Amino acid sequence: MEKLQMTGKANNSGFEITATINTEINRFATRNYDVKEEEVDSPVNSWIISAILYILALIFYAEIGLALDIWASLFILLSAFAAGNILWSVPTLLRKNSLWKQWHACEHKLVNIITRNNPKFPCLEKLKQTSPYNSNCGSVLIITTLLFNLYIICALPFTGYLLPIILNFIGVIYLVAIFARSLCPKKYPVNKLTFPIMIILAGFAALILLSQQQA
Amino acid sequence: MGSFAIELLTKYSGIPYLAQKYIFTGEPTQEQYEETFLLALKIQAWQKSVMEEIEIERR
């Protein structure tokens, strides 16, 4: 039997689902999804800002091990930017029942009920009972990378400037996640992106460690 | 070792699950459930028709 693949996107007005079976693709959206286009799917308002910060962060990453003292002040500044970027999304995420969160749950429940109960006919009660958790959601990528980031920080013997390093590290991973998702949300599933990103980050961590040992 | 640590932190820790449940999603209203349900029916109908077409092509 051909497998049904589904990707979704939610905003304040509803959500859309792109369903694929073999070469057949169809888009399904809730009533008002296209009416009011509010970009609340990504916590960052513009991915361009994220991209610039991301590139800057990577440059500073390479520099940190080579000339920590010279770059320290700029590094702290960048960390503040990165932290600010995270803080930007906090009010939206902490609001208990924002429309975006509700539609996001609906999107996950729909994907879960269709893929798990296939080919049974769904019913409303079952939809309510279905889990809102979906392992392919972008939020999992963000949380995963943040956790991995924490793991690297704990594993590396940093001596000075710990706070900016932690702040920047979290900021960079956050930006990588947002940037990767905004660039290719549909082409590549989130779980396929996670591993390459982690490899790149591990490479940077190794670079820092190597530079510190040489100094 | 590294991949095990990732698995431990993500899959087995349940942290992404909890984060998604309490931070990234909320409890939908009855209207939202109803609209979602209608969409589920539409998707199932489309899926059924595509499957039938594929079956016909195979024969």
Side-chain angles (χ1 to χ4, degrees), chain A residues 6 8 41 44 57 59 69 79 112 114-115 119-120 129 131 136 138 146 149 159 161 164 176 185 187 204 207:
Chain A
M6 294 162 88
D41 178 50
V44 185
I59 295 165
D69 291 333
S79 304
N112 287 341
I114 297 274
T115 50
K120 285 180 198 163
Q129 290 162 8
S131 166
N136 290 331
L146 284 175
N149 167 28
T159 47
Y161 302 103
V176 168
K187 279 184 193 167
F204 274 105
L207 182 76

Side-chain angles (χ1 to χ4, degrees), chain A residues 17-189:
Chain A
I17 295 282
T18 308
T20 314
I21 304 173
N22 285 356
T23 51
E24 295 283 334
I25 301 169
N26 206 347
R27 179 183 172 272
F28 301 90
T30 51
R31 223 173 15 204
N32 296 324
Y33 180 76
D34 297 318
V35 179
K36 213 168 85 185
E37 282 208 354
E38 285 185 40
E39 270 300 320
V40 289
D41 178 50
S42 166
V44 185
N45 279 6
S46 166
W47 66 268
I48 298 167
I49 298 168
S50 300
I52 293 165
L53 282 171
Y54 164 64
I55 293 160
L56 282 174
L58 287 184
I59 295 165
F60 284 124
Y61 245 112
E63 295 291 344
I64 185 173
L66 305 171
L68 187 63
D69 291 333
I70 299 166
W71 290 90
S73 54
L74 283 170
F75 197 70
I76 290 163
L77 192 70
L78 182 75
S79 304
F81 266 118
N85 221 338
I86 294 170
L87 291 173
W88 199 318
S89 64
V90 168
T92 316
L93 293 174
L94 289 184
R95 219 178 300 143
K96 204 183 172 191
N97 250 353
S98 71
L99 279 168
W100 170 73
K101 280 183 171 188
Q102 290 172 322
W103 283 120
H104 194 207
C106 282
E107 179 215 320
H108 285 185
K109 279 170 185 265
L110 187 146
V111 171
N112 287 341
I113 200 166
I114 297 274
T115 50
R116 287 178 196 172
N117 291 335
N118 194 23
K120 285 180 198 163
F121 204 72
C123 72
L124 194 57
E125 283 311 307
K126 230 174 192 175
L127 184 75
K128 285 181 183 177
Q129 290 162 8
T130 308
S131 166
Y133 176 70
N134 192 306
S135 59
N136 290 331
C137 178
S139 63
V140 175
L141 175 71
I142 295 169
I143 299 295
T144 307
T145 42
L146 284 175
L147 288 170
F148 184 70
N149 167 28
L150 215 64
Y151 161 76
I152 290 178
I153 285 170
C154 293
L156 289 177
F158 286 120
T159 47
Y161 302 103
L162 189 62
L163 188 66
I165 287 169
I166 291 172
L167 275 176
N168 204 44
F169 220 113
I170 292 170
V172 167
I173 305 217
Y174 179 80
L175 294 176
V176 168
I178 299 295
F179 183 56
R181 197 169 169 231
S182 59
L183 268 187
C184 43
K186 281 173 188 171
K187 279 184 193 167
Y188 304 101

